[in-house]
Amino acid sequence: MKNILLILCVFAYLNNYSQTVDNDAHITISTAINQEKQEIKEIIATMRNFLETKNDSLTYNKHWLPADFEKYAYPYLDLFDMENGNDGNNIYQPSIMEIIPTDNSSQWIVKLAFIRHNPSTKDNLIRSIYNILATKTNDEIILSKYQDHLLESWQQQSIGSLNYYISPLKKINEQEIAQQLKDIEKLCAFFETDPIPITYISCINPQEVFQVKGFDYNPMMFVSKTGGLAEYGNIIFSGNNSEIYTHEIIHIYTMNLFPYKHSFFDEGLATYLSGSGIYKYDWHKEKLKRFLVQNPTFEIKNHMEDLYERLYFEEETSIPYLIAAVVCDYIIETHGKQKYFELLNSRNNLWDSLDKVGLNKENVNMKIRKKLGI
């Protein structure tokens, strides 16, 4: 229902508010914004200059807060190439919808939309609405991530290597925190490393994850009821209403320990060690086995190079993820953990790496089925 209401609000905005076009930056500005105010003019000018240069570099922009690059590495990664679509470049034009004052008299929230207009059909298609913080410092407008501003009102708890930010819509689960710390101890033993400081942002669902990241609207907000991600800066976003997300924490460890990590071996290891969603690896492995028994002509090799293929069995089990996990299980069993780490950190393509452990397109179907006891 929330996504329907949001879309209706967006259409109301498009229908009821005219826009002025900034020809220099190809952006539109809502006429609801009072452009007579000097500070608003400065914010718009800074936004225009940022939008003109944001795709040039993700590691520096003179209009963006320097501390954000140290903390997040790529603080506006979510906006990179936002104007471009599958059928062309610069087809989603930026539009400043609102500039909202905060409790800080020198700080504003800028709501930035990316909208596509079809002149032949008169249709408008919105790609996203994204919040950016604009702060006036030393007579200069500096942009920064909205995330820190939002998290100021969240519950915070630090324990061990974890710094939790927990949604005000949920109660802190101390038992889950204790279990997460135990899982990290096991990971440190497995990777033979010290604990890595991690910021864990605990949300009630994926919609709230996107909201923390700065989105008022993104179509991916509504795809799944659970999920999350690991981001640069050693940040975990959990949309599982839980203080445990070992799968994504593994990605933080591999990100730090294996700079050239290959996504197939990375996802395979995370699923092998911690499962996926709320279920462990052994549970999913049995599901994969049942899927392969029911589909005897299924070719495993054809589903190993696109881990994000939306191929699920009984909703919970991603077939590509589980194939990667069983491959991980096979390699560690037959060649050991250190050999797997070598493949994980290799720049070789998938099949060249697998060839080093005796797996190829001709035999992988047979060997993985045999590993599963089929």
Side-chain angles (χ1 to χ4, degrees):
M1 179 61 71
K2 286 183 179 179
N3 53 335
I4 295 173
L5 289 174
L6 177 57
I7 292 169
L8 290 174
C9 289
V10 169
F11 283 138
Y13 167 83
L14 292 171
N15 289 330
N16 293 316
Y17 288 93
S18 59
Q19 298 174 327
T20 59
V21 178
D22 186 327
N23 291 318
D24 292 334
H26 304 291
I27 67 174
T28 56
I29 302 162
S30 168
T31 54
I33 296 172
N34 183 358
Q35 297 185 54
E36 298 302 316
K37 294 183 178 181
Q38 180 59 32
E39 289 168 331
I40 298 300
K41 289 181 180 179
E42 293 172 8
I43 292 171
I44 291 172
T46 301
M47 284 294 301
R48 179 182 67 241
N49 292 332
F50 167 68
L51 289 167
E52 288 176 338
T53 57
K54 72 176 178 66
N55 293 341
D56 296 342
S57 172
L58 287 172
T59 57
Y60 171 76
N61 188 290
K62 68 179 182 179
H63 306 292
W64 201 275
L65 184 68
D68 273 5
F69 293 98
E70 297 176 12
K71 185 175 182 179
Y72 300 107
Y74 311 104
Y76 47 86
L77 179 62
D78 287 326
L79 292 177
F80 184 72
D81 271 354
M82 185 64 79
E83 303 88 345
N84 303 331
N86 292 332
D87 53 345
N89 294 334
N90 296 314
I91 56 178
Y92 292 92
Q93 293 301 308
S95 175
I96 299 177
M97 299 174 69
E98 292 186 75
I99 299 176
I100 304 170
T102 68
D103 292 338
N104 181 340
S105 61
S106 299
Q107 198 169 70
W108 298 261
I109 298 169
V110 181
K111 290 190 177 292
L112 178 68
F114 287 84
I115 302 170
R116 179 176 185 172
H117 177 69
N118 187 326
S120 60
T121 64
K122 308 299 183 183
D123 289 336
N124 293 308
L125 176 64
I126 192 158
R127 184 172 188 181
S128 72
I129 303 173
Y130 190 80
N131 294 298
I132 296 175
L133 209 60
T135 306
K136 188 162 188 176
T137 307
N138 299 325
D139 295 324
E140 180 183 15
I141 298 295
I142 294 295
L143 308 177
S144 60
K145 282 181 75 71
Y146 173 73
Q147 180 174 308
D148 287 340
H149 175 75
L150 180 66
L151 291 177
E152 287 176 0
S153 63
W154 281 39
Q155 306 168 86
Q156 187 173 1
Q157 182 167 324
S158 294
I159 181 167
S161 59
L162 296 171
N163 182 28
Y164 278 97
Y165 287 92
I166 298 174
S167 170
L169 301 177
K170 71 187 300 290
K171 183 179 179 180
I172 297 174
N173 191 319
E174 301 288 353
Q175 290 182 325
E176 289 183 347
I177 291 175
Q179 184 59 55
Q180 185 64 88
L181 289 170
K182 289 180 181 178
D183 285 358
I184 287 175
E185 286 182 15
K186 294 177 183 178
L187 291 180
C188 289
F190 181 81
F191 288 115
E192 301 173 22
T193 190
D194 294 327
I196 296 172
I198 290 172
T199 298
Y200 190 119
I201 301 173
S202 182
C203 304
I204 59 171
N205 54 37
Q207 287 177 241
E208 194 172 44
V209 168
F210 277 90
Q211 289 164 359
V212 174
K213 284 169 63 62
F215 287 97
D216 283 348
Y217 173 73
N218 183 303
M220 297 303 294
M221 295 171 74
F222 313 106
V223 168
S224 177
K225 295 180 180 179
T226 60
L229 69 157
E231 279 204 346
Y232 296 102
N234 298 336
I235 300 171
I236 295 294
F237 289 93
S238 169
N240 297 327
N241 198 31
S242 172
E243 274 70 86
I244 299 176
Y245 209 166
T246 304
H247 181 105
E248 293 299 331
I249 285 179
I250 290 168
H251 290 319
I252 295 291
Y253 276 78
T254 56
M255 188 185 302
N256 282 270
L257 298 172
F258 306 101
Y260 306 121
K261 66 174 186 174
H262 190 288
S263 60
F264 178 88
F265 297 106
D266 186 31
E267 290 295 354
L269 182 63
T271 306
Y272 168 66
L273 290 177
S274 66
S276 181
I278 63 174
Y279 298 105
K280 297 297 185 182
Y281 166 61
D282 285 343
W283 185 90
H284 284 291
K285 185 170 67 171
E286 288 304 310
K287 294 279 289 292
L288 175 63
K289 180 178 179 179
R290 192 157 72 247
F291 171 81
L292 292 175
V293 168
Q294 292 178 15
N295 297 273
T297 61
F298 182 85
E299 284 289 345
I300 290 174
K301 67 181 180 182
N302 295 333
H303 302 273
M304 294 176 62
E305 297 187 56
D306 180 9
L307 280 175
Y308 308 110
E309 176 189 6
R310 297 194 63 79
L311 175 59
Y312 287 84
F313 181 58
E314 296 179 354
E315 296 185 2
E316 293 288 349
T317 300
S318 165
I319 299 303
Y321 268 43
L322 263 295
I323 290 171
V326 177
V327 169
C328 171
D329 191 352
Y330 172 86
I331 294 172
I332 290 176
E333 181 182 66
T334 57
H335 290 77
K337 180 176 69 176
Q338 294 303 324
K339 185 63 176 180
Y340 192 86
F341 289 166
E342 178 187 317
L343 303 185
L344 171 62
N345 200 39
S346 172
R347 288 180 167 178
N348 292 334
N349 69 47
L350 175 62
W351 292 107
D352 285 346
S353 290
L354 290 175
D355 187 60
K356 296 179 184 295
V357 290
L359 292 174
N360 53 54
K361 292 182 179 181
E362 286 68 42
N363 67 19
V364 70
N365 191 62
M366 176 270 294
K367 289 196 173 185
I368 294 307
R369 286 175 179 269
K370 184 177 179 180
K371 171 67 180 169
L372 292 169
I374 300 174

